[in-house]
Amino acid sequence: MADSAAREHGRAEEGGRERRLRRYWDRQADSYDRRMAFAERRFFGDTRRWLCGQAAGDVLEVAAGTGLNLPHYPPGIRLTGVEWSDAMLVIARRRARALGLVADLRQGDARALEFPDARFDTVVCTFSLCAIPDEETALAEMARVLRSGGLLLLADHVVSTSWPVRVLQTLADAVSVPLQGEHYRRRPLPRVRAMGFGIERHERLTRGVIERFAARKPSAA
């Protein structure tokens, strides 16, 4: 009985935390693009264009946010996007209309994608895994919905190659993780390699803080 009560309490706490984080990102939606503008200029460089320009075929963007990637996709793709925050999704849809893009942008959870196995040729996620509560589950879901031989395109801020920056990231995590669920020291690349993906393109920028790569899912035997 005690174990059951403890599990129930844990689930309730986790549910409350997720509702709090969703409200946090909903509140950030209107100011998100303005706040990201400095990071785009100072740290990200051409990462969105570098990454999205490689997408082809049926494309899924996970954690699409306000749609900042939308202008960078090549013509001819068939784009689906999922986003946790309803408020951000409203802005992403507005951006797609302004760009004249046909895209299926819907509410969804990166940890439980509502698509069948092997549905997409390309899966994209930029600057979002850092804030997804369970990074490992989200990556497993991206791999699941990606077709054999498909391309996984990821970019994020990660643990730095510079030890002074790593110290600052540790301090930042102490504040950002409990308040907004954002991690500064995650690094998805080793997990993707461990899943059997082949890394085709890989770059680190800004003292190693920004990492971007294209990884190919193994072809079925």
Side-chain angles (χ1 to χ4, degrees):
M1 291 291 291
D3 287 346
S4 177
R7 285 194 296 271
E8 186 63 30
H9 178 70
R11 284 193 292 269
E13 281 193 339
E14 183 62 23
R17 183 172 185 272
E18 293 203 1
R19 286 190 294 274
R20 187 172 69 253
L21 289 175
R22 191 189 295 262
R23 288 194 299 268
Y24 170 83
W25 289 110
D26 281 345
R27 289 194 303 270
Q28 301 303 310
D30 286 338
S31 62
Y32 182 78
D33 290 0
R34 292 193 302 274
R35 291 187 297 105
M36 285 291 286
F38 172 77
E40 298 277 351
R41 293 191 305 270
R42 179 66 179 83
F43 302 111
F44 297 172
D46 66 342
T47 292
R48 294 189 191 278
R49 184 171 68 252
W50 185 93
L51 210 74
C52 297
Q54 300 177 64
D58 290 311
V59 179
L60 173 66
E61 182 173 342
V62 176
T66 59
L68 289 174
N69 286 334
L70 293 177
H72 303 291
Y73 284 109
I77 66 163
R78 296 169 295 279
L79 180 64
T80 302
V82 295
E83 169 53 42
W84 200 33
S85 164
D86 289 325
M88 287 197 169
L89 194 56
V90 168
I91 297 172
R93 287 169 174 161
R94 187 187 308 149
R95 177 169 270 126
R97 289 194 297 271
L99 291 168
L101 296 178
V102 176
D104 177 7
L105 302 175
R106 61 177 79 177
Q107 201 280 335
D109 189 335
R111 300 162 299 176
L113 297 172
E114 296 182 347
F115 304 104
D117 295 355
R119 167 66 177 79
F120 296 97
D121 301 297
T122 309
V123 174
V124 178
C125 185
T126 61
F127 307 109
S128 299
L129 271 171
C130 52
I132 294 173
D134 187 345
E135 173 198 27
E136 187 172 0
T137 298
L139 285 171
E141 279 290 275
M142 293 180 207
R144 179 184 66 78
V145 301
L146 190 61
R147 290 173 181 153
S148 174
L151 198 60
L152 178 63
L153 299 169
L154 296 182
D156 222 319
H157 57 73
V158 300
V159 61
S160 176
T161 53
S162 165
W163 75 261
V165 177
R166 289 198 299 272
V167 171
L168 295 176
Q169 288 176 314
T170 300
L171 296 174
D173 269 4
V175 176
S176 66
V177 173
L179 288 182
Q180 60 199 53
E182 186 160 4
H183 299 253
Y184 286 90
R185 294 182 297 158
R186 283 180 171 174
R187 191 177 179 217
L189 180 62
R191 291 188 185 276
V192 172
R193 279 198 174 115
M195 291 160 58
F197 280 67
I199 309 303
E200 294 191 346
R201 299 182 69 187
H202 171 240
E203 295 183 7
R204 294 188 77 164
L205 316 172
T206 321
R207 296 194 177 187
V209 171
I210 305 302
E211 186 164 48
R212 60 195 193 186
F213 62 90
R216 185 75 59 182
K217 184 176 179 179
S219 296

